[in-house]
Amino acid sequence: QVQLVESGGGLVQPGGSLRLSCEASGFKFDDYAIGWFRQAPGKEREGVSCIGNIRGRTTYADSVKGRFTVSRDAAKNTTYLQMNSLKPEDTAVYYCATSVFVRSSAVASCVRIDERLFGSWGQGTQVTVSS
């Protein structure tokens, strides 16, 4: 079955960096776009970044542009979220998810990183930015 496993979270000081990984199994990785989301305590889940499946088109929330970089490695069925210049407001549980659309339509899920356009989700990894 579809499985997504996030890792790489932890405690980091403001200004620091972390790289999250999302390892996928149980489906054809290249058919799906992968989105990253986060949910802070008491807040709704928000889209952070997305990467398409064919040309690797990327999109980012305004709050992370210039600081976060998403990438994918098809050989490892893994998507990465490199997070630099972290701020306390980046503290949240981070999730990865697969697009509901597949193959040539998958990138449509990345246009607004809308969670309604993502189907299977990982269990999340905690990121805490604090001094």
Side-chain angles (χ1 to χ4, degrees):
Q1 73 275 19
V2 173
Q3 188 171 16
L4 298 169
V5 179
E6 302 95 336
S7 61
L11 173 64
V12 63
Q13 291 187 342
S17 298
L18 283 174
R19 188 177 80 156
L20 305 184
S21 299
C22 170
E23 185 172 358
S25 61
F27 63 98
K28 190 175 180 184
F29 183 71
D30 290 347
D31 278 354
Y32 293 82
I34 303 294
W36 283 95
F37 297 80
R38 67 186 180 187
Q39 187 166 22
K43 294 188 177 181
E44 293 186 352
R45 189 159 54 189
E46 63 170 339
V48 174
S49 183
C50 186
I51 184 164
N53 57 322
I54 296 177
R55 294 184 179 84
R57 171 182 171 178
T58 58
T59 52
Y60 299 93
D62 288 343
S63 58
V64 306
K65 278 181 183 175
R67 300 188 299 122
F68 289 13
T69 303
V70 63
S71 61
R72 61 193 290 161
D73 185 336
K76 296 181 179 180
N77 281 5
T78 299
T79 306
Y80 304 98
L81 185 67
Q82 177 67 43
M83 306 186 297
N84 299 328
S85 303
L86 283 162
K87 306 174 181 180
E89 51 264 43
D90 294 318
T91 295
V93 178
Y94 284 71
Y95 302 87
C96 61
T98 61
S99 59
V100 296
F101 303 119
V102 298
R103 293 184 285 277
S104 59
S105 299
V107 71
S109 291
C110 288
V111 173
R112 284 190 293 272
I113 325 176
D114 185 333
E115 66 174 281
R116 292 170 295 181
L117 299 181
F118 291 83
S120 297
W121 294 77
Q123 83 291 346
T125 185
Q126 176 70 47
V127 171
T128 302
V129 185
S130 175
S131 55

